[in-house]
Amino acid sequence: EVQLVESGGGLVQPGGSLRLSCAASGFTFSDHYMDWVRQAPGKGLEWIGRIRNKPNSYTTEYAASVKGKFTILRDDSKNSLYLQMNSLKTEDTAVYYCARNSITGTTGLVYFDYWGQGTLVTVSS
Amino acid sequence: DIQMTQSPSSLSASVGDRVTITCRASQSTSNHLNWYHQKPGKAPKLLIYGASNLQSGVPSRFSGSGSGTDFTLTISSLQPEDFATYYCEQTYSLPHTFGQGTKLEIK
């Protein structure tokens, strides 16, 4: 059974840092790209970034809203994904989800077929 | 960035009803369009990928259609467990973007 379990959320002051983790099991983690999506309280979903797999040099992509302050990392030996968040602002308050990225078809259809339960990050003084 | 606009933003319907939700992209996304639903306090769940492909394990009452800029999600006969918020998402280009959501409520 595929499982993604996030941890590391909590209350942090503006300007602070936090590192989220996502522990994966039930599939070959190293094969997949992995993404982070967040959801502010009462709001919709916002894609924030991706890390590709080893054959694709672990390259990363970020949304403009987090580029330069968030960093996505992975450790395939531990089946783990990380989100390092620096210079946090109140507008970064959200539930953060990790999601497994799957790709299929000749045109490379991308979709998020498994999601973690989410971890809440609250940025407040 | 590609903007995704869903309509309606909210919808009241009854068990057994046929429901259609639409999603429009600000530019073509070919068929790189996914649908999810989300229940309160839970993670989103994938329903449809590639505009019309039913995700494994998802009931056949869900179907998707469209290409280019206009897409629809149809639920042929609403069940109690279908009351949730529905999101479309384009994965044609980065950054991936979601619609604002359609909240499906019980009438």
Side-chain angles (χ1 to χ4, degrees), chain A residues 35 37 39 43-47 50 52 61-64 97 101 104 107-118, chain B residues 1 31-34 36 38 41-46 48-51 53 55 87 89 91 94-100:
Chain A
D35 290 56
V37 176
Q39 186 170 38
K43 302 297 185 182
L45 300 167
E46 179 189 14
W47 177 86
R50 166 175 303 155
R52 297 182 177 89
E61 305 285 351
Y62 298 95
Y97 296 100
N101 180 316
T104 192
T107 58
L109 295 172
V110 171
Y111 49 93
F112 305 144
D113 54 355
Y114 289 94
W115 297 61
Q117 84 287 354
Chain B
D1 298 2
N31 65 335
H32 294 246
L33 190 286
N34 306 320
Y36 303 84
Q38 184 182 33
K42 300 295 187 182
K45 177 185 175 183
L46 177 68
I48 301 285
Y49 66 92
N53 299 284
Q55 170 66 356
Y87 294 96
E89 175 207 25
T91 55
L94 291 172
H96 296 328
T97 45
F98 292 87
Q100 81 280 13

Side-chain angles (χ1 to χ4, degrees), chain B residues 2-9 20-36 48 51 63-74 86-91 97-102:
Chain B
I2 298 177
Q3 292 190 344
M4 308 301 292
T5 304
Q6 291 180 229
S7 61
S9 295
T20 297
I21 299 169
T22 64
C23 178
R24 174 163 287 177
S26 61
Q27 62 191 78
S28 177
T29 67
S30 183
N31 65 335
H32 294 246
L33 190 286
N34 306 320
W35 289 98
Y36 303 84
I48 301 285
S63 64
S65 65
S67 66
T69 60
D70 294 306
F71 302 89
T72 61
L73 173 71
T74 299
Y86 288 78
Y87 294 96
C88 62
E89 175 207 25
Q90 68 81 19
T91 55
T97 45
F98 292 87
Q100 81 280 13
T102 295

Side-chain angles (χ1 to χ4, degrees), chain A residues 4 13 28 48 71 81 93 107 122:
Chain A
L4 297 170
Q13 292 190 336
T28 304
I48 57 172
T71 302
L81 174 72
T93 294
T107 58
T122 303

Side-chain angles (χ1 to χ4, degrees), chain A:
Chain A
E1 179 193 5
V2 171
Q3 281 198 314
L4 297 170
V5 180
E6 299 97 338
S7 60
L11 177 64
V12 60
Q13 292 190 336
S17 298
L18 207 58
R19 186 174 194 172
L20 306 183
S21 300
C22 171
S25 60
F27 66 102
T28 304
F29 179 74
S30 58
D31 283 350
H32 286 262
Y33 299 1
M34 295 294 296
D35 290 56
W36 287 95
V37 176
R38 70 181 178 183
Q39 186 170 38
K43 302 297 185 182
L45 300 167
E46 179 189 14
W47 177 86
I48 57 172
R50 166 175 303 155
I51 187 165
R52 297 182 177 89
N53 53 14
K54 185 175 181 180
N56 289 281
S57 305
Y58 297 125
T59 53
T60 53
E61 305 285 351
Y62 298 95
S65 58
V66 305
K67 194 170 186 177
K69 64 177 200 169
F70 287 10
T71 302
I72 299 174
L73 305 156
R74 65 189 294 165
D75 185 338
D76 290 348
S77 69
K78 295 182 179 179
N79 290 340
S80 292
L81 174 72
Y82 305 98
L83 180 65
Q84 177 66 44
M85 304 185 295
N86 298 329
S87 304
L88 285 163
K89 299 179 179 179
T90 55
E91 52 262 40
D92 295 315
T93 294
V95 174
Y96 286 75
Y97 296 100
C98 62
R100 189 179 86 164
N101 180 316
S102 287
I103 304 173
T104 192
T106 55
T107 58
L109 295 172
V110 171
Y111 49 93
F112 305 144
D113 54 355
Y114 289 94
W115 297 61
Q117 84 287 354
T119 188
L120 176 63
V121 173
T122 303
V123 184
S124 174
S125 55

